Amino acid sequence: MTGISRRNLFKTAALTGAAAAAAPAVHAAPAARPVHEGYPAAAKSAALWPEELPESNLGLTGTFNLGKSQLNDGTSITAFRWGVVRPVVKGGKIVACMPFEHDYAPSVNLQGLAELPYSSARIRYPMVREGYLKNGSASREQRGRDKWVRVSWDQALDLAAKEIRRVYDTYGPSAVYGSSYGWYSTGKIVASVPCMQRLLNLMGGYIGKRNSYSTAAINTIMPYVVGTGDPRCTSWDVVVKNSERVVLWGCDPLVTNDIDWFTTIHNYAGYFRALKKKGTKTFSVNPIMTDTAEYLGSEWIAPNPGTDVAMMAAMIYELESTGKADHAFLEKYTYGWPQLRAYIFGAEDGVKKTPEWAEKICGVPAAKIRAFAHELQEHRTMLMFGWGIQREDFGEQPHWMMVALASVLGQIGLPGGGFGTNYHYSSDGSPLSNAPFMPQIPSNVKPVHPSKLPWKGSKVLPVAAISDCLLHPGKTVDYDGKKVTYPEVHLVMWGGGNPFAHHPDTNQVARAFRKPDTVIVTDYVWTATARHADIVFPACTAFEHPDITNIGTYSNDGFVAMHQTIEPQWEAKNDYEIYSLLAKKLGIEKEYTEGRTVMGWIRKVYNDTKKTGDAIGSPMPDFDTFWKKGYLLFDVSEKNRNYVMFEDFRKDPEKNRLSTESGKIQLYSPKIASYKYDDCKPHPTYFVATEGVAHATRDYPLALMACKSRYRMHSQLDCTNTRSRAAIEDREPLWINPKDAKARGIKNGDLVLVQSRRGKVLVGALITERIIPGVVVLHHGAWYNPTQTAQGEVDVRGNSNTLVLDKPTSKLARGNLASTANVQVSLWKGAVPPVTVYNQPDRVIR
């Protein structure tokens, strides 16, 4: 497909024939139409909408059955984390995914989405592990190694219901880990986690979780510092207009904004185009040259991973020692500057945090640190921080020190100044619409038969405690000023998601998953989590059922009708149907469904939202009109377009107090001081990471970084051909600096063994100057494929978490690590083991 303009795409996407939708080119444009037609919020935006879409080549083959005649064709509309899409169906099969006509930057992964229903890794039938069928939980050590048996839906549901009932009756809800975590479902109704948790709450409850793998450290520390874990960012329109310097610190928005918690029209892209067109000077502070830095032509400042806090502390030292710190702001709007200053100037520990001190730690020249600090102070500066740096050891500290640096600069609450922690995620900074937000299917429901058994252990655990909890029941740990005791888990239920990709030290995760009596997983592909289960239910992809969702987690740009595009493949059922059937087996079907089908729930949540919209002056069409059109886009008020974070606080800090101990920005926290933690002091502090550049040894001389991949989200889409865009002999590529490669005799494209103290992975070498010497990059999310080789057990696909240290960020947040490991890299020698994880698992025909 070549040269389809935005205006022509309006016409193309509206056609019902697949031949028209997939035509090689469209040349005859209709009468001139503004690019924002049908999307009024775009009319006054600073974002730039491109006239031309990227070239697409999305032709696909069919799947296992013949389907309908090829003349039965048409287009539909649905949504994924990667955006709203218009699937093209021919002969009953999806042959392409066209981008939505209001998308600023259609994802590069549309082809992978179209392939999902037909993936070789698709879970085709209800499956039960052979050992579990024969010996039940006594066979738990065979999880991840056993063969599988195809069973009927009725048999699988009976087995699962019997075990669920047994665990609740014998041990109570404190023995059920139902805190399934993942990015599986974008819809509001057929949502894997709420659907499953609705069932478990009706049964009496389950072990809860707090926070997410993405944000555990930042969402714990920021409420202490600014009163909220997720502060709304200053509008991008304000940034483009007013910011003279933009600093992208530890983030790569052009990669990570490709996805959204619900779905997206990629608003971020227009603003980055506008920022580039204006010529605003940008900096990228990151050990790697990011895609965003490459696009913007950013000045690259490359500290060693895990040393950002030292660099920021030195910048504060420089500004204070030269009289450039904004004392008026510090006195009026912050609490604890004297204590933090004492630390920065060495009164606390005898170490002055000078640029020379920081240079030895972070590798950035002292002169550069000085110049950088002054340039930010002399210009209106927006500090944009990512979440990657809080997924490292002592991850609470970078964002706390970042707020301290922004406070010393004194620009918080000014247009285009201050900081933002979400510009890299779900297109935050895009102005919020005037419309109400749509709820999901309720999962917090009262139990039908409340358990009379005593709850053992804590009811809520840190999200990243799963391995530690399964391996050490009864263990008590410090957590955010309290004590948490791990319950004894007998049943794990996981709906969507893949902790074998989220959680560090994957080999340990595998050992942990062999501890419970039973593991039940619902998913549509054979992830490592599914392969380590006992009972597996095959779920539908979003193409195979109707649903509805918001567009834009932060901006709430509109709603999209997720029309069912194709029939469920193989014997898959949607999550709502699966848990409704399970509820029927458990005798709670009436309470679970409330008499509603999926479409009944979709209509209800839409109509409930419409009532709210009508009440607040944001009218919506009736449901049938909305469903027929397929989407609804909202307008944006000028107030929201001109939103400035903490503007009201700056104007009147007494009237608009923050939800912190003092009502101000906390540079020192008496509450944290009272916890007396040795790994999280009451002010932001530089700690040396447990592993990393500072701990290089002869055996493990390189520091590992695990960044987000362009071509998947966590482990999603790794089972499609999108992985081939970066893979080397179907292995994950390892970014390595030419200096480090030469020292090891490694050439581009070589297969190499990467090993840490926890595991080994086989990957392909990609030699590049975009990573600093002494550091290697293995992008997060490759599927875990442990295989016995002459080198011992090796993950032959290249999952980064196989190598990463599993320890809490600190006692405060107990967040997970993703980029903390020392590794060695060497040429692979001998036979090359095949990648098998995308094949069907071994099964027994009975």
Side-chain angles (χ1 to χ4, degrees):
M1 182 176 296
T2 57
I4 295 183
S5 71
R6 173 71 58 176
R7 295 182 180 88
N8 284 333
L9 185 63
F10 273 81
K11 179 179 178 181
T12 304
L15 297 177
T16 57
V26 178
H27 298 293
R33 302 164 70 179
V35 295
H36 52 76
E37 183 172 318
Y39 183 23
K44 299 178 182 179
S45 176
L48 300 179
W49 217 335
E51 286 297 309
E52 301 293 327
L53 284 172
E55 288 190 12
S56 302
N57 181 15
L58 302 176
L60 297 173
T61 58
T63 185
F64 61 95
N65 64 8
L66 293 175
K68 301 178 181 179
S69 163
Q70 292 190 62
L71 295 183
N72 287 290
D73 53 21
T75 60
S76 182
I77 188 168
T78 190
F80 290 87
R81 307 291 191 190
W82 291 266
V84 181
V85 298
R86 292 194 176 275
V88 179
V89 177
K90 195 175 181 67
K93 307 298 172 188
I94 298 170
V95 296
C97 271
M98 295 293 291
F100 183 48
E101 54 268 30
H102 291 292
D103 198 324
Y104 282 85
S107 174
V108 299
N109 293 309
L110 296 188
Q111 180 173 347
L113 291 175
E115 291 174 3
L116 266 182
Y118 318 114
S119 168
S120 61
R122 189 73 194 262
I123 301 173
R124 300 170 177 173
Y125 312 106
M127 303 288 277
V128 180
R129 196 169 52 76
E130 183 185 29
Y132 189 79
L133 272 177
K134 293 178 178 178
N135 302 308
S137 62
S139 66
R140 58 171 64 91
E141 281 297 322
Q142 289 304 110
R143 287 185 192 130
R145 307 175 179 126
D146 212 346
K147 291 182 173 64
W148 291 84
V149 178
R150 175 184 174 181
V151 298
S152 68
W153 267 104
D154 200 53
Q155 185 178 359
L157 291 165
D158 278 339
L159 277 171
K162 180 181 178 181
E163 181 63 1
I164 292 169
R165 191 178 293 109
R166 181 190 74 84
V167 172
Y168 274 98
D169 289 348
T170 306
Y171 305 104
S174 64
V176 180
Y177 191 90
S179 295
S180 175
Y181 172 89
W183 278 67
Y184 167 66
S185 305
T186 194
K188 296 289 186 175
I189 307 305
V190 186
S192 56
V193 175
C195 281
M196 184 192 73
Q197 292 177 346
R198 181 178 174 86
L199 178 82
L200 297 183
N201 274 326
L202 288 171
M203 288 297 296
Y206 58 91
I207 302 164
K209 69 167 176 62
R210 178 184 159 197
N211 264 322
S212 73
Y213 278 89
S214 295
T215 61
I218 184 175
N219 273 350
T220 302
I221 192 63
M222 289 296 276
Y224 287 95
V225 181
V226 297
T228 174
D230 194 23
R232 177 182 168 193
C233 290
T234 294
S235 165
W236 260 113
D237 292 88
V238 175
V239 171
V240 172
K241 181 179 179 180
N242 296 284
S243 297
E244 298 171 319
R245 298 291 182 268
V246 171
V247 180
L248 301 157
W249 202 312
C251 62
D252 192 3
L254 267 60
V255 170
T256 53
N257 268 321
D258 194 40
I259 52 90
D260 186 286
W261 184 253
F262 294 110
T263 193
T264 177
I265 53 175
H266 299 105
N267 317 53
Y268 80 92
Y271 291 111
F272 275 94
R273 292 185 184 110
L275 196 69
K276 182 176 182 177
K277 183 176 181 179
K278 186 178 180 182
T280 302
K281 185 172 182 180
T282 62
F283 296 86
S284 177
V285 185
N286 206 308
I288 70 168
M289 168 63 79
T290 64
D291 286 14
T292 310
E294 184 274 331
Y295 172 75
L296 293 174
S298 305
E299 182 175 333
W300 182 23
I301 300 174
N304 292 322
T307 65
D308 306 86
V309 174
M311 182 173 165
M312 286 184 271
M315 293 171 71
I316 293 173
Y317 181 96
E318 174 65 17
L319 293 172
E320 172 67 2
S321 63
T322 58
K324 298 293 183 67
D326 192 331
H327 282 271
F329 183 91
L330 290 167
E331 183 175 345
K332 187 174 182 179
Y333 300 103
T334 74
Y335 175 92
W337 167 244
Q339 293 93 328
L340 178 59
R341 188 187 187 283
Y343 168 72
I344 296 290
F345 278 78
E348 179 180 313
D349 58 6
V351 178
K352 292 183 178 181
K353 311 308 182 292
T354 65
E356 286 75 17
W357 165 83
E359 177 180 352
K360 295 175 183 177
I361 295 168
C362 67
V364 178
K368 180 68 215 173
I369 295 174
R370 287 194 172 90
F372 187 41
H374 288 291
E375 182 157 4
L376 302 190
Q377 188 274 330
E378 291 163 4
H379 296 86
R380 184 64 58 86
T381 297
M382 177 59 71
L383 299 170
M384 298 182 176
F385 271 63
W387 293 343
I389 54 178
Q390 57 90 55
R391 285 157 53 90
E392 297 177 348
D393 210 0
F394 308 105
E396 296 84 355
Q397 305 307 315
H399 287 80
W400 198 357
M401 192 66 86
M402 173 268 295
V403 175
L405 175 59
S407 298
V408 170
L409 292 171
Q411 299 179 19
I412 296 172
L414 297 177
F419 67 92
T421 59
N422 298 302
Y423 285 107
H424 65 289
Y425 169 63
S426 292
S427 293
D428 196 16
S430 302
L432 179 65
S433 78
N434 305 323
F437 203 77
M438 183 181 292
Q440 284 186 306
I441 186 172
S443 61
N444 189 18
V445 289
K446 293 182 179 180
V448 176
H449 305 294
S451 176
K452 297 180 181 179
L453 295 171
W455 190 286
K456 297 181 179 179
S458 298
K459 291 190 174 183
V460 178
L461 306 180
V463 65
I466 180 64
S467 284
D468 204 20
C469 176
L470 293 178
L471 291 169
H472 305 109
K475 178 181 177 181
T476 298
V477 297
D478 290 296
Y479 178 38
D480 197 13
K482 302 178 180 64
K483 299 287 185 181
V484 167
T485 299
Y486 296 145
E488 184 173 347
V489 177
H490 290 268
L491 171 65
V492 170
M493 292 192 68
W494 215 281
N498 186 11
F500 281 75
H502 286 300
H503 199 88
D505 194 350
T506 316
N507 292 328
Q508 179 179 263
V509 177
R511 294 192 294 273
F513 261 65
R514 296 186 181 110
K515 292 296 182 179
D517 296 352
T518 300
V519 178
I520 302 172
V521 168
T522 305
D523 212 325
Y524 54 77
V525 286
W526 281 104
T527 64
T529 306
R531 291 169 189 266
H532 285 78
D534 301 307
I535 303 169
V536 174
F537 294 127
C540 289
T541 66
F543 293 114
E544 298 161 328
H545 62 78
D547 213 326
I548 189 171
T549 197
N550 293 82
I551 304 173
T553 296
Y554 291 107
S555 51
N556 196 25
D557 298 287
F559 303 143
V560 59
M562 297 169 63
H563 290 169
Q564 182 173 336
T565 305
I566 57 173
E567 293 299 314
Q569 300 297 292
W570 303 91
E571 289 189 4
K573 297 181 185 295
N574 71 66
D575 293 82
Y576 180 77
E577 183 180 7
I578 292 170
Y579 290 106
S580 296
L581 291 170
L582 200 50
K584 184 176 182 179
K585 295 284 186 181
L586 291 165
I588 54 174
E589 179 186 20
K590 178 182 176 181
E591 292 83 357
Y592 187 86
T593 67
E594 297 182 18
R596 295 188 183 93
T597 62
V598 169
M599 282 305 303
W601 278 106
I602 292 170
R603 188 179 290 270
K604 174 179 168 51
V605 298
Y606 180 89
N607 286 333
D608 287 350
T609 308
K610 182 182 184 323
K611 290 178 184 177
T612 305
D614 292 344
I616 65 174
S618 183
M620 294 162 51
D622 66 81
F623 176 79
D624 291 330
T625 301
F626 158 76
W627 192 256
K628 182 177 180 180
K629 182 178 181 180
Y631 67 91
L632 172 64
L633 294 169
F634 304 129
D635 206 351
V636 171
S637 69
E638 286 304 300
K639 179 180 179 181
N640 285 339
R641 193 177 299 287
N642 293 298
Y643 175 77
V644 176
M645 186 170 73
F646 296 126
E647 181 179 42
D648 292 341
F649 170 68
R650 185 175 185 117
K651 288 177 180 177
D652 190 337
E654 286 300 320
K655 183 179 178 181
N656 302 292
R657 290 168 61 86
L658 304 180
S659 298
T660 60
E661 296 164 75
S662 65
K664 299 180 179 182
I665 296 169
Q666 300 283 151
L667 306 183
Y668 179 93
S669 168
K671 185 176 288 187
I672 294 178
S674 71
Y675 303 158
K676 295 181 168 48
Y677 293 156
D678 58 354
D679 52 7
C680 187
K681 295 184 178 180
H683 56 70
T685 307
Y686 171 65
F687 292 94
V688 180
T690 306
E691 294 191 19
V693 170
H695 291 287
T697 65
R698 186 177 68 176
D699 291 337
Y700 302 104
L702 301 172
L704 174 74
M705 286 184 65
C707 307
K708 289 288 189 290
S709 170
R710 302 177 189 175
Y711 302 117
R712 57 179 173 258
M713 184 190 64
H714 299 305
S715 63
Q716 288 187 52
L717 293 189
D718 202 49
C719 60
T720 71
N721 283 330
T722 26
R723 71 177 182 275
S724 65
R725 299 184 182 189
I728 297 172
E729 296 190 34
D730 214 16
R731 323 288 161 159
E732 190 64 15
L734 180 83
W735 289 20
I736 185 169
N737 185 272
K739 178 181 176 181
D740 296 320
K742 183 178 180 180
R744 291 160 175 78
I746 294 171
K747 302 185 295 297
N748 254 325
D750 282 343
L751 292 184
V752 296
L753 180 70
V754 186
Q755 50 189 323
S756 73
R757 294 174 176 88
R758 289 154 293 281
K760 304 173 183 178
V761 300
L762 180 60
V763 296
L766 193 159
I767 301 172
T768 176
E769 296 277 4
R770 285 177 65 169
I771 182 65
I772 61 176
V775 182
V776 293
V777 172
L778 194 60
H779 286 82
H780 163 77
W783 278 21
Y784 177 60
N785 193 175
T787 304
Q788 287 299 325
T789 73
Q791 302 280 353
E793 185 172 87
V794 177
D795 177 358
V796 299
R797 169 70 181 110
N799 168 37
S800 62
N801 274 337
T802 300
L803 305 168
V804 173
L805 181 70
D806 184 13
K807 73 172 287 291
T809 52
S810 80
K811 296 181 182 69
L812 188 80
R814 302 197 77 85
N816 55 289
L817 309 186
S819 290
T820 302
N822 284 108
V823 299
Q824 179 59 285
V825 179
S826 57
L827 277 169
W828 178 265
K829 296 180 181 179
V832 178
V835 174
T836 60
V837 72
Y838 308 112
N839 303 331
Q840 293 290 304
D842 292 341
R843 67 187 182 103
V844 176
I845 309 296
R846 303 183 72 180

